[in-house]
Amino acid sequence: MSTAGKVIRCKAAVAWESNKPLVIEDIEVAPPQANEVRIKIVATAVCHSDLNQLFENKHEDGFPTVLGHEAAGIIESVGSGVTEYRPGDHVIPLFISQCRECRFCKSPKTNQCDKGWANAGRHNAMAPLESRLTCKGKKVLQFLGTGTFSEYTVVNQVAVAKIDPAAPLDKVCLIGCGICTGYGAAVNTAKVEPGSTCAVFGLGAVGLAAVMGCQAAGAKRIIAVDINPEKAEKAKVFGATDFVNPKDHSKPISQVLSEMTDGGVDFSLECVGNVGVMRSALESCMKGWGVSVIVGVNIMEDISARPLMLIAGRTWKGSLFGGFKGKDGVAKMVEAYMDKKLKVDEFITHNMTLDQVNDAIELMKEGKCIRTVLNVSPK
């Protein structure tokens, strides 16, 4: 029986307040309104940004919320004015929209968009004001405009990428955040050059994707940096040539890397979200031309550096979603995966169900996984 135009009652993992376990609840998902689509979520992964919102956002206006933003699914129904999508399309929801009409979308210099959720929401909530989700009579926010820890969600059509229907949704969901964020930071933002030397700080999914991006760009030496020695072998799978654990050295890691590379690396990428590591990554770059990219998210602290680091010719940059324009970039990355030009399966260390979401969160919190995929709904 068709569910188009009707409220759908389904399961979702709701975060009622900060620093508390998610609760599997029965929620109501309203039909899509004008320019919106309702998506049946097939698979969603747990990303560190979800943990940041749950454990570090102390603002009450950020809750209750449905977390999750790294997902893939199938369009169930569309609202009025939607012509680009139809029920049955396989899609990846986007936290970086692409309307293709605003000044940002028309510029090749950025992947930001005027019509994204951030321009229609509250900064502290990390979600748009509008939500089609309700639970126990209360509006439930959709984290980053997506809210994919749910069997169904509703997003604006500017925040959806149509993908190859043959692509396995329980794999390519990772392209919706972590893989694009790291890979693109190397390829699009840093613009890593053939024959160069790179350092990647932090070997979670984003860092490993950055390593993969450095290799794809032709770097001859890729130094993976992490305080967890168990990450060394995994980094080599994605192209790392060296592994350095800062805890193994009595001197600053920037000095260690400088000595390893005759003055510093050409490119460094910080994929932790730690302001101290951001500074170390900058200081690890070669003076004169080194480029350091901040990829890890930190919304609570300020960064600092000695001006001479930049005056000497280093460049400090930031990267959001790896510089990929949402719809175009995600579709192309899925194509690359289908053509066996992009690793995706290798990031997945655990598969669970939506009911096990708190276990998945604990795995990430303790650094015992790269990516856990939650199988939400059968295809």
Side-chain angles (χ1 to χ4, degrees), residues 271-344:
C271 303
V272 181
N274 179 294
V275 294
V277 178
M278 293 173 189
R279 178 168 177 165
S280 292
L282 174 68
E283 293 174 348
S284 299
C285 282
M286 176 71 77
K287 66 180 181 181
W289 64 72
V291 175
S292 186
V293 180
I294 296 173
V295 189
V297 175
N298 186 316
I299 61 174
M300 305 301 291
E301 300 173 279
D302 294 334
I303 55 174
S304 65
R306 294 184 183 277
L308 188 60
M309 285 287 122
L310 301 174
I311 292 170
R314 298 174 183 86
T315 301
W316 216 359
K317 306 174 76 172
S319 183
L320 179 64
F321 196 51
F324 283 109
K325 288 185 181 287
K327 294 184 180 186
D328 298 340
V330 164
K332 288 177 181 176
M333 288 288 275
V334 171
E335 282 181 24
Y337 167 70
M338 296 299 284
D339 291 339
K340 295 182 169 41
K341 296 177 181 177
L342 183 77
K343 289 183 172 69
V344 172

Side-chain angles (χ1 to χ4, degrees), residues 8-306:
I8 290 179
R9 289 173 176 79
C10 67
K11 299 288 185 183
V14 179
W16 287 103
E17 55 185 308
S18 174
N19 212 25
K20 293 290 179 66
L22 307 188
V23 181
I24 302 298
E25 303 276 16
D26 291 313
I27 69 164
E28 295 80 40
V29 182
Q33 302 302 301
N35 302 313
E36 294 178 342
V37 300
R38 186 160 60 184
I39 303 170
K40 176 184 180 181
I41 299 297
V42 172
T44 185
V46 178
C47 170
H48 218 282
S49 296
D50 301 310
L51 272 65
N52 288 343
Q53 177 70 1
L54 182 61
F55 296 113
E56 296 182 20
N57 191 331
K58 308 303 181 184
H59 299 280
E60 291 184 5
D61 60 357
F63 301 91
T65 187
V66 171
L67 299 172
H69 61 284
E70 192 175 81
I74 302 169
I75 290 184
E76 172 269 341
S77 61
V78 303
S80 61
V82 176
T83 58
E84 192 175 347
Y85 308 98
R86 62 183 62 186
D89 284 347
H90 287 214
V91 296
I92 289 177
L94 307 169
F95 70 94
I96 292 294
S97 58
Q98 185 184 0
C99 72
R100 296 197 172 106
E101 297 173 351
C102 72
R103 54 184 174 156
F104 293 116
C105 284
K106 289 181 178 179
S107 170
K109 297 179 180 180
T110 182
N111 63 340
Q112 298 193 41
C113 174
D114 256 339
K115 297 184 180 179
W117 64 267
N119 294 316
R122 294 168 290 180
H123 175 69
N124 292 335
M126 296 296 285
L129 294 171
E130 286 291 319
S131 173
R132 303 296 169 222
L133 312 184
T134 56
C135 181
K136 299 179 179 178
K138 294 183 179 180
K139 179 176 75 173
V140 179
L141 298 172
Q142 294 174 241
F143 182 54
L144 301 183
T146 55
T148 60
F149 289 175
S150 175
E151 293 177 334
Y152 287 86
T153 193
V154 176
V155 301
N156 193 289
Q157 65 174 339
V158 301
V160 184
K162 187 189 300 186
I163 63 170
D164 183 346
L169 299 176
D170 60 344
K171 303 290 194 303
V172 298
C173 58
L174 302 190
I175 290 175
C177 180
I179 292 178
C180 281
T181 297
Y183 187 94
V187 174
N188 300 327
T189 309
K191 294 182 171 27
V192 170
E193 298 167 352
S196 61
T197 297
C198 304
V200 176
F201 291 74
L203 300 175
V206 172
L208 292 173
V211 170
M212 181 168 62
C214 291
Q215 183 188 52
K220 72 175 179 182
R221 192 175 186 190
I222 304 168
I223 305 169
V225 182
D226 201 289
I227 59 174
N228 183 351
E230 294 179 7
K231 297 289 184 71
E233 289 306 311
K234 196 72 173 178
K236 291 179 181 177
V237 170
F238 291 94
T241 57
D242 303 76
F243 176 83
V244 177
N245 184 340
K247 289 186 173 181
D248 292 340
H249 301 271
S250 57
K251 60 186 73 171
I253 186 62
S254 57
Q255 188 176 337
V256 173
L257 293 179
S258 179
E259 292 172 0
M260 288 175 65
T261 57
D262 190 26
V265 298
D266 301 306
F267 301 93
S268 68
L269 298 103
E270 192 279 345
C271 303
V272 181
N274 179 294
V275 294
V277 178
M278 293 173 189
R279 178 168 177 165
S280 292
L282 174 68
E283 293 174 348
S284 299
C285 282
M286 176 71 77
K287 66 180 181 181
W289 64 72
V291 175
S292 186
V293 180
I294 296 173
V295 189
V297 175
N298 186 316
I299 61 174
M300 305 301 291
E301 300 173 279
D302 294 334
I303 55 174
S304 65
R306 294 184 183 277

